[in-house]
PDB file of all heavy atoms in Angstrom:
ATOM      1  N   GLY A 151     104.566 390.689 115.539  1.00 96.00           N
ATOM      2  CA  GLY A 151     104.320 390.134 116.863  1.00 96.00           C
ATOM      3  C   GLY A 151     102.843 389.973 117.145  1.00 96.00           C
ATOM      4  O   GLY A 151     102.002 390.637 116.536  1.00 96.00           O
ATOM      5  N   SER A 152     102.528 389.088 118.062  1.00 95.00           N
ATOM      6  CA  SER A 152     101.144 388.869 118.465  1.00 95.00           C
ATOM      7  C   SER A 152     101.139 388.282 119.870  1.00 95.00           C
ATOM      8  O   SER A 152     102.128 387.702 120.326  1.00 95.00           O
ATOM      9  CB  SER A 152     100.433 387.923 117.491  1.00 95.00           C
ATOM     10  OG  SER A 152     101.096 386.670 117.440  1.00 95.00           O
ATOM     11  N   TRP A 153     100.015 388.434 120.558  1.00 95.00           N
ATOM     12  CA  TRP A 153      99.868 387.887 121.906  1.00 95.00           C
ATOM     13  C   TRP A 153      99.223 386.511 121.830  1.00 95.00           C
ATOM     14  O   TRP A 153      98.322 386.279 121.031  1.00 95.00           O
ATOM     15  CB  TRP A 153      99.017 388.803 122.773  1.00 95.00           C
ATOM     16  CG  TRP A 153      99.716 390.069 123.155  1.00 95.00           C
ATOM     17  CD1 TRP A 153      99.592 391.288 122.563  1.00 95.00           C
ATOM     18  CD2 TRP A 153     100.672 390.227 124.207  1.00 95.00           C
ATOM     19  NE1 TRP A 153     100.410 392.210 123.175  1.00 95.00           N
ATOM     20  CE2 TRP A 153     101.082 391.585 124.195  1.00 95.00           C
ATOM     21  CE3 TRP A 153     101.218 389.367 125.157  1.00 95.00           C
ATOM     22  CZ2 TRP A 153     102.012 392.087 125.098  1.00 95.00           C
ATOM     23  CZ3 TRP A 153     102.147 389.871 126.057  1.00 95.00           C
ATOM     24  CH2 TRP A 153     102.531 391.212 126.027  1.00 95.00           C
ATOM     25  N   THR A 154      99.697 385.600 122.653  1.00 90.00           N
ATOM     26  CA  THR A 154      99.137 384.259 122.703  1.00 90.00           C
ATOM     27  C   THR A 154      99.067 383.810 124.156  1.00 90.00           C
ATOM     28  O   THR A 154      99.619 384.468 125.042  1.00 90.00           O
ATOM     29  CB  THR A 154      99.998 383.274 121.879  1.00 90.00           C
ATOM     30  OG1 THR A 154      99.364 381.996 121.858  1.00 90.00           O
ATOM     31  CG2 THR A 154     101.393 383.132 122.480  1.00 90.00           C
ATOM     32  N   ASP A 155      98.374 382.726 124.421  1.00 85.00           N
ATOM     33  CA  ASP A 155      98.264 382.182 125.777  1.00 85.00           C
ATOM     34  C   ASP A 155      99.274 381.055 125.949  1.00 85.00           C
ATOM     35  O   ASP A 155      99.311 380.115 125.152  1.00 85.00           O
ATOM     36  CB  ASP A 155      96.851 381.640 126.033  1.00 85.00           C
ATOM     37  CG  ASP A 155      95.820 382.748 126.111  1.00 85.00           C
ATOM     38  OD1 ASP A 155      96.144 383.812 126.672  1.00 85.00           O
ATOM     39  OD2 ASP A 155      94.702 382.559 125.604  1.00 85.00           O
ATOM     40  N   TRP A 156     100.077 381.164 126.993  1.00 78.00           N
ATOM     41  CA  TRP A 156     101.059 380.124 127.297  1.00 78.00           C
ATOM     42  C   TRP A 156     101.226 380.074 128.808  1.00 78.00           C
ATOM     43  O   TRP A 156     101.405 381.090 129.453  1.00 78.00           O
ATOM     44  CB  TRP A 156     102.377 380.417 126.593  1.00 78.00           C
ATOM     45  CG  TRP A 156     103.568 379.616 127.017  1.00 78.00           C
ATOM     46  CD1 TRP A 156     104.807 380.097 127.338  1.00 78.00           C
ATOM     47  CD2 TRP A 156     103.665 378.187 127.164  1.00 78.00           C
ATOM     48  NE1 TRP A 156     105.657 379.075 127.675  1.00 78.00           N
ATOM     49  CE2 TRP A 156     104.981 377.889 127.576  1.00 78.00           C
ATOM     50  CE3 TRP A 156     102.755 377.139 127.008  1.00 78.00           C
ATOM     51  CZ2 TRP A 156     105.405 376.585 127.826  1.00 78.00           C
ATOM     52  CZ3 TRP A 156     103.182 375.839 127.257  1.00 78.00           C
ATOM     53  CH2 TRP A 156     104.496 375.579 127.649  1.00 78.00           C
ATOM     54  N   HIS A 157     101.160 378.890 129.367  1.00 73.00           N
ATOM     55  CA  HIS A 157     101.141 378.592 130.799  1.00 73.00           C
ATOM     56  C   HIS A 157     100.270 379.585 131.577  1.00 73.00           C
ATOM     57  O   HIS A 157     100.697 380.219 132.533  1.00 73.00           O
ATOM     58  CB  HIS A 157     102.544 378.454 131.400  1.00 73.00           C
ATOM     59  CG  HIS A 157     103.507 379.582 131.148  1.00 73.00           C
ATOM     60  ND1 HIS A 157     103.351 380.834 131.679  1.00 73.00           N
ATOM     61  CD2 HIS A 157     104.659 379.619 130.431  1.00 73.00           C
ATOM     62  CE1 HIS A 157     104.359 381.600 131.321  1.00 73.00           C
ATOM     63  NE2 HIS A 157     105.162 380.889 130.562  1.00 73.00           N
ATOM     64  N   GLU A 158      99.008 379.684 131.102  1.00 75.00           N
ATOM     65  CA  GLU A 158      97.971 380.448 131.799  1.00 75.00           C
ATOM     66  C   GLU A 158      98.319 381.923 131.954  1.00 75.00           C
ATOM     67  O   GLU A 158      97.954 382.566 132.935  1.00 75.00           O
ATOM     68  CB  GLU A 158      97.694 379.830 133.179  1.00 75.00           C
ATOM     69  CG  GLU A 158      97.106 378.438 133.115  1.00 75.00           C
ATOM     70  CD  GLU A 158      95.803 378.381 132.322  1.00 75.00           C
ATOM     71  OE1 GLU A 158      94.867 379.113 132.675  1.00 75.00           O
ATOM     72  OE2 GLU A 158      95.736 377.605 131.350  1.00 75.00           O
ATOM     73  N   SER A 159      99.028 382.464 131.007  1.00 80.00           N
ATOM     74  CA  SER A 159      99.336 383.893 131.021  1.00 80.00           C
ATOM     75  C   SER A 159      99.499 384.367 129.586  1.00 80.00           C
ATOM     76  O   SER A 159      99.678 383.565 128.666  1.00 80.00           O
ATOM     77  CB  SER A 159     100.612 384.173 131.828  1.00 80.00           C
ATOM     78  OG  SER A 159     101.731 383.561 131.215  1.00 80.00           O
ATOM     79  N   ARG A 160      99.430 385.668 129.409  1.00 86.00           N
ATOM     80  CA  ARG A 160      99.615 386.244 128.082  1.00 86.00           C
ATOM     81  C   ARG A 160     101.101 386.252 127.750  1.00 86.00           C
ATOM     82  O   ARG A 160     101.934 386.663 128.558  1.00 86.00           O
ATOM     83  CB  ARG A 160      99.047 387.661 128.033  1.00 86.00           C
ATOM     84  CG  ARG A 160      97.560 387.730 128.295  1.00 86.00           C
ATOM     85  CD  ARG A 160      96.769 387.031 127.202  1.00 86.00           C
ATOM     86  NE  ARG A 160      96.723 387.822 125.968  1.00 86.00           N
ATOM     87  CZ  ARG A 160      96.372 387.326 124.790  1.00 86.00           C
ATOM     88  NH1 ARG A 160      96.089 386.044 124.671  1.00 86.00           N
ATOM     89  NH2 ARG A 160      96.320 388.110 123.735  1.00 86.00           N
ATOM     90  N   TRP A 161     101.430 385.794 126.568  1.00 89.00           N
ATOM     91  CA  TRP A 161     102.828 385.617 126.168  1.00 89.00           C
ATOM     92  C   TRP A 161     103.009 386.264 124.807  1.00 89.00           C
ATOM     93  O   TRP A 161     102.273 385.974 123.867  1.00 89.00           O
ATOM     94  CB  TRP A 161     103.145 384.125 126.110  1.00 89.00           C
ATOM     95  CG  TRP A 161     104.585 383.758 126.219  1.00 89.00           C
ATOM     96  CD1 TRP A 161     105.300 383.570 127.356  1.00 89.00           C
ATOM     97  CD2 TRP A 161     105.482 383.493 125.134  1.00 89.00           C
ATOM     98  NE1 TRP A 161     106.590 383.203 127.056  1.00 89.00           N
ATOM     99  CE2 TRP A 161     106.730 383.149 125.699  1.00 89.00           C
ATOM    100  CE3 TRP A 161     105.354 383.515 123.744  1.00 89.00           C
ATOM    101  CZ2 TRP A 161     107.840 382.836 124.922  1.00 89.00           C
ATOM    102  CZ3 TRP A 161     106.457 383.207 122.968  1.00 89.00           C
ATOM    103  CH2 TRP A 161     107.682 382.872 123.560  1.00 89.00           C
ATOM    104  N   ARG A 162     103.969 387.153 124.709  1.00 93.00           N
ATOM    105  CA  ARG A 162     104.206 387.856 123.451  1.00 93.00           C
ATOM    106  C   ARG A 162     105.065 387.005 122.526  1.00 93.00           C
ATOM    107  O   ARG A 162     106.188 386.634 122.872  1.00 93.00           O
ATOM    108  CB  ARG A 162     104.906 389.192 123.711  1.00 93.00           C
ATOM    109  CG  ARG A 162     105.115 390.050 122.454  1.00 93.00           C
ATOM    110  CD  ARG A 162     103.815 390.567 121.894  1.00 93.00           C
ATOM    111  NE  ARG A 162     104.035 391.457 120.750  1.00 93.00           N
ATOM    112  CZ  ARG A 162     103.054 392.042 120.066  1.00 93.00           C
ATOM    113  NH1 ARG A 162     101.792 391.823 120.422  1.00 93.00           N
ATOM    114  NH2 ARG A 162     103.316 392.835 119.047  1.00 93.00           N
ATOM    115  N   MET A 163     104.505 386.685 121.362  1.00 95.00           N
ATOM    116  CA  MET A 163     105.240 385.930 120.353  1.00 95.00           C
ATOM    117  C   MET A 163     105.925 386.910 119.409  1.00 95.00           C
ATOM    118  O   MET A 163     105.275 387.636 118.660  1.00 95.00           O
ATOM    119  CB  MET A 163     104.299 385.020 119.565  1.00 95.00           C
ATOM    120  CG  MET A 163     104.953 384.316 118.380  1.00 95.00           C
ATOM    121  SD  MET A 163     106.233 383.135 118.852  1.00 95.00           S
ATOM    122  CE  MET A 163     105.211 381.736 119.336  1.00 95.00           C
ATOM    123  N   HIS A 164     107.253 386.955 119.471  1.00 97.00           N
ATOM    124  CA  HIS A 164     108.039 387.822 118.597  1.00 97.00           C
ATOM    125  C   HIS A 164     108.451 387.053 117.346  1.00 97.00           C
ATOM    126  O   HIS A 164     108.825 385.882 117.414  1.00 97.00           O
ATOM    127  CB  HIS A 164     109.301 388.316 119.308  1.00 97.00           C
ATOM    128  CG  HIS A 164     109.045 389.030 120.596  1.00 97.00           C
ATOM    129  ND1 HIS A 164     108.330 390.207 120.671  1.00 97.00           N
ATOM    130  CD2 HIS A 164     109.412 388.736 121.874  1.00 97.00           C
ATOM    131  CE1 HIS A 164     108.271 390.613 121.924  1.00 97.00           C
ATOM    132  NE2 HIS A 164     108.916 389.735 122.674  1.00 97.00           N
ATOM    133  N   ASN A 165     108.411 387.724 116.210  1.00 97.00           N
ATOM    134  CA  ASN A 165     108.895 387.164 114.947  1.00 97.00           C
ATOM    135  C   ASN A 165     109.792 388.198 114.278  1.00 97.00           C
ATOM    136  O   ASN A 165     109.342 389.301 113.953  1.00 97.00           O
ATOM    137  CB  ASN A 165     107.733 386.836 114.005  1.00 97.00           C
ATOM    138  CG  ASN A 165     106.803 385.779 114.559  1.00 97.00           C
ATOM    139  OD1 ASN A 165     106.964 384.600 114.294  1.00 97.00           O
ATOM    140  ND2 ASN A 165     105.814 386.202 115.346  1.00 97.00           N
ATOM    141  N   PHE A 166     111.055 387.849 114.103  1.00 97.00           N
ATOM    142  CA  PHE A 166     112.001 388.721 113.413  1.00 97.00           C
ATOM    143  C   PHE A 166     112.405 388.050 112.103  1.00 97.00           C
ATOM    144  O   PHE A 166     112.655 386.843 112.066  1.00 97.00           O
ATOM    145  CB  PHE A 166     113.247 388.963 114.266  1.00 97.00           C
ATOM    146  CG  PHE A 166     112.970 389.655 115.569  1.00 97.00           C
ATOM    147  CD1 PHE A 166     112.821 388.926 116.740  1.00 97.00           C
ATOM    148  CD2 PHE A 166     112.854 391.034 115.631  1.00 97.00           C
ATOM    149  CE1 PHE A 166     112.562 389.554 117.951  1.00 97.00           C
ATOM    150  CE2 PHE A 166     112.595 391.676 116.838  1.00 97.00           C
ATOM    151  CZ  PHE A 166     112.450 390.940 117.997  1.00 97.00           C
ATOM    152  N   TYR A 167     112.477 388.851 111.044  1.00 96.00           N
ATOM    153  CA  TYR A 167     112.841 388.324 109.729  1.00 96.00           C
ATOM    154  C   TYR A 167     114.199 388.898 109.332  1.00 96.00           C
ATOM    155  O   TYR A 167     114.300 390.001 108.811  1.00 96.00           O
ATOM    156  CB  TYR A 167     111.753 388.645 108.707  1.00 96.00           C
ATOM    157  CG  TYR A 167     110.474 387.898 109.001  1.00 96.00           C
ATOM    158  CD1 TYR A 167     109.489 388.454 109.811  1.00 96.00           C
ATOM    159  CD2 TYR A 167     110.275 386.612 108.514  1.00 96.00           C
ATOM    160  CE1 TYR A 167     108.329 387.750 110.113  1.00 96.00           C
ATOM    161  CE2 TYR A 167     109.120 385.903 108.809  1.00 96.00           C
ATOM    162  CZ  TYR A 167     108.154 386.480 109.609  1.00 96.00           C
ATOM    163  OH  TYR A 167     107.011 385.778 109.912  1.00 96.00           O
ATOM    164  N   MET A 168     115.231 388.123 109.630  1.00 95.00           N
ATOM    165  CA  MET A 168     116.606 388.532 109.375  1.00 95.00           C
ATOM    166  C   MET A 168     116.926 388.368 107.894  1.00 95.00           C
ATOM    167  O   MET A 168     116.762 387.274 107.336  1.00 95.00           O
ATOM    168  CB  MET A 168     117.553 387.670 110.220  1.00 95.00           C
ATOM    169  CG  MET A 168     119.025 387.886 109.946  1.00 95.00           C
ATOM    170  SD  MET A 168     119.582 389.536 110.407  1.00 95.00           S
ATOM    171  CE  MET A 168     121.206 389.536 109.628  1.00 95.00           C
ATOM    172  N   PRO A 169     117.360 389.445 107.215  1.00 93.00           N
ATOM    173  CA  PRO A 169     117.732 389.295 105.800  1.00 93.00           C
ATOM    174  C   PRO A 169     118.811 388.226 105.639  1.00 93.00           C
ATOM    175  O   PRO A 169     119.810 388.232 106.358  1.00 93.00           O
ATOM    176  CB  PRO A 169     118.263 390.683 105.423  1.00 93.00           C
ATOM    177  CG  PRO A 169     117.672 391.616 106.428  1.00 93.00           C
ATOM    178  CD  PRO A 169     117.547 390.828 107.698  1.00 93.00           C
ATOM    179  N   ARG A 170     118.586 387.317 104.730  1.00 87.00           N
ATOM    180  CA  ARG A 170     119.566 386.252 104.511  1.00 87.00           C
ATOM    181  C   ARG A 170     120.823 386.854 103.905  1.00 87.00           C
ATOM    182  O   ARG A 170     120.785 387.435 102.824  1.00 87.00           O
ATOM    183  CB  ARG A 170     119.005 385.191 103.570  1.00 87.00           C
ATOM    184  CG  ARG A 170     119.943 384.012 103.316  1.00 87.00           C
ATOM    185  CD  ARG A 170     119.284 383.026 102.368  1.00 87.00           C
ATOM    186  NE  ARG A 170     120.090 381.828 102.191  1.00 87.00           N
ATOM    187  CZ  ARG A 170     121.004 381.680 101.249  1.00 87.00           C
ATOM    188  NH1 ARG A 170     121.234 382.666 100.409  1.00 87.00           N
ATOM    189  NH2 ARG A 170     121.684 380.558 101.142  1.00 87.00           N
TER     190      ARG A 170
END
Side-chain angles (χ1 to χ4, degrees):
S152 59
W153 288 98
T154 185
D155 291 322
W156 168 229
H157 52 68
E158 295 303 303
S159 64
R160 298 295 285 164
W161 202 86
R162 184 68 176 179
M163 173 65 79
H164 304 297
N165 297 267
F166 298 97
Y167 293 91
M168 174 66 192
R170 182 180 185 269

